[in-house]
Amino acid sequence: MTTQRPEVMITRPFYPASMEWLEREYTTYRLFEAPDRDAMLREVGSRIQAIAGGGAVDAALFGALPALRLVAYVGVGYEQVDVASAVQRGIVVTNTPGVLNDAVADLALSLLLAAERRIVTADAFVRAGEWPAGGFPFTRHLGDLTLGIVGLGRIGLEVAHRAEAFGMTIAYHNRNPRSGVAYAYHSDLLGLAQASDILLCVVPGGSETRHLVTEDVLRALGPTGTFVNIARGSVVDEAALVRCLQEGALGAAALDVFDREPAVPQELFALDNVVLTPHIGSATHSTRKAMGDLAVQNVLALLGGRPLLSPVAECAALTPR
Ligand code: NAP
C-alpha cells in the first residue's frame, strides 16, 4: 500500500513513547517484527527515507533502501553502523550523544563502588547467614585511590566529576590531552594502568579500539587493581581478562559490556571478585526516552527540511540528499 506520508523504517525497538511518537508522525514499518525481513524490504524498501533504531546497519541494508537519506541511530556508540558506506551514498547518520552522560556515569560509579566495597559478595554473605560467625573483610577507601579513565570524553568527564566527589585522584588516557582539565594525562595506556588503582574504560567501540586493553595492561593494573568496563566488550581482550581474574593477576572487575552480548563468559560466574550487569548504562526511563526523542527529532528535522540535531562527526559536513 502506498501513502502520502513519508515512510520510515524502525530497525530495533526503542523507548515505547518515543517510538509511538514517530509512528504517529509517519508511516512506519517495524523491521524487527517482520516475520520475513527480506519480504518487507522488497515490498517497501524503495520508499523508505529514514531509519530509526539500533542494531547492525550495514551496506546490504543500504542496498535494499535506495531512497534512504538518514540513519537516526538510538545510542551514542554507533560502531555497528557502516558509516563509510553511508557517507558514500550521501546518507547522514545521527546518534544520541550527551543525553545519556549522567545515567552512564551513575552506573560507572555504581559498578566501581560495588567492586571496591564488595557489595554483591557482602549481600550474599548476609543472605547466607555468615554474619553471626564474624564480620566481613575490610575493603579499600575510595578517597585513597587513583582512578584511571580510558576515554575522558563526554561520559568520562562526568565519571571524573563524580569520582572527585568521592575524593579520588583522577588520571586519564585519550589519544590527545583534553584541554580545560587538570587531571594527569598519560599518552601511554600501560603507563596509566601502572599509575592507577582502578582502570575504567569508556572509549568508543569498533575496530580502532578492539583489544585496546591488552593482557599487559591488565597485569600492570595488578593483583590489587580493579578493571571497570562501561564502554564495549570489544575494547578489552576478554579471554585475557578472564585468565587474569582467575589467576589473581588482576584483583577485581566490574563489567556492564561483553564481547558477544548477551553471551557472557561462563568462567566469570564462578568468581566472587567480579560484578556483572547486562549493558544497562543508559537504561533509565528518562534517559532512554531522551535518547529515543532525540532520534525522532532528527527524523522530524530531516523530513521537515531543517538542520539535523546530532550528526556523527563523519557526517557533520554532509548535506542530506
Ligand atoms: P566521546 O565523548 O566521543 O568520548 C570518547 C573518548 O574516547 C574521547 O575522550 C576520545 O579522546 C577517547 N578515544 C577515542 N578513541 C580512542 C582511542 N583509540 N584510544 C584512546 N582514547 C580514545 O564519547 P562518549 O559519549 O563519552 O561515549 C563513549 C562510549 O561509551 C560510547 O562510544 C559507547 O561505546 C560507550 N557507552 C556505553 C554505554 C553503556 O550502556 N555501557 C552507554 C553509552 C555509551 P581522543 O579523541 O583524544 O582519543
Side-chain angles (χ1 to χ4, degrees):
M1 189 187 75
T2 53
T3 64
Q4 296 303 311
R5 299 203 307 171
E7 298 183 40
V8 177
M9 187 163 268
I10 302 173
T11 53
R12 210 168 67 173
F14 50 99
Y15 199 72
S18 311
M19 204 161 74
E20 286 155 18
W21 179 20
L22 185 71
E23 290 175 329
R24 280 194 304 276
E25 299 286 338
Y26 303 110
T27 298
T28 55
Y29 303 93
R30 293 183 168 194
L31 188 62
F32 60 93
E33 278 179 355
D36 184 342
R37 187 185 148 95
D38 290 340
M40 178 180 273
L41 288 170
R42 271 196 308 275
E43 193 188 331
V44 302
S46 64
R47 304 195 302 268
I48 299 298
Q49 295 192 50
I51 59 180
V57 180
D58 56 17
L61 186 57
F62 294 146
L65 305 173
L68 189 68
R69 301 163 67 202
L70 171 71
V71 176
Y73 204 73
V74 182
V76 68
Y78 53 93
E79 71 282 356
Q80 286 197 74
V81 181
D82 184 344
V83 180
S85 294
V87 170
Q88 218 170 28
R89 289 168 182 261
I91 300 164
V92 178
V93 179
T94 58
N95 65 343
T96 61
V99 294
L100 40 54
N101 294 354
D102 285 336
V104 182
D106 289 351
L107 185 83
L109 265 292
S110 308
L111 285 174
L112 191 157
L113 279 160
E116 281 299 328
R117 301 300 300 268
R118 306 200 66 202
I119 300 296
V120 177
T121 319
D123 178 277
F125 176 88
V126 174
R127 287 170 198 260
E130 290 178 35
W131 192 5
F136 194 70
F138 295 152
T139 58
R140 302 195 290 188
H141 175 62
L142 285 202
D144 296 335
L145 305 177
T146 295
L147 172 65
I149 299 177
V150 187
L152 192 73
R154 288 172 294 240
I155 299 169
L157 195 61
E158 289 302 327
V159 172
H161 291 159
R162 284 159 175 72
E164 267 190 304
F166 283 93
M168 302 186 77
T169 302
I170 315 292
Y172 73 103
H173 165 74
N174 277 358
R175 288 166 302 185
N176 303 294
R178 186 175 175 140
S179 60
V181 296
Y183 311 132
Y185 173 67
H186 291 257
S187 59
D188 172 33
L189 178 52
L190 200 61
L192 178 67
Q194 281 159 350
S196 302
D197 301 296
I198 302 167
L199 195 70
L200 184 144
C201 222
V202 61
V203 286
S207 54
E208 207 184 311
T209 56
R210 183 158 182 83
H211 291 193
L212 182 70
V213 178
T214 59
E215 181 154 357
D216 284 349
V217 168
L218 296 169
R219 287 186 185 273
L221 197 53
T224 59
T226 295
F227 176 67
V228 182
N229 194 3
I230 56 157
R232 289 288 184 261
S234 59
V235 167
V236 60
D237 179 343
E238 206 170 65
L241 175 63
V242 170
R243 201 161 47 243
C244 287
L245 287 163
Q246 284 174 325
E247 287 174 8
L250 177 66
L255 310 168
D256 185 46
V257 288
F258 305 89
D259 208 11
R260 284 175 291 278
E261 294 172 8
V264 175
Q266 297 279 313
E267 300 94 320
L268 293 176
F269 297 170
L271 301 175
D272 69 359
N273 53 348
V274 174
V275 179
L276 307 169
T277 51
H279 201 147
I280 54 170
S282 65
T284 72
H285 284 287
S286 59
T287 305
R288 284 290 171 86
K289 181 168 188 307
M291 291 165 67
D293 285 357
L294 181 51
V296 174
Q297 283 162 346
N298 275 305
V299 178
L300 288 167
L302 174 94
L303 297 173
R306 296 185 303 278
L308 295 169
L309 282 82
S310 51
V312 303
E314 298 90 323
C315 297
L318 205 66
T319 310
R321 54 189 187 150

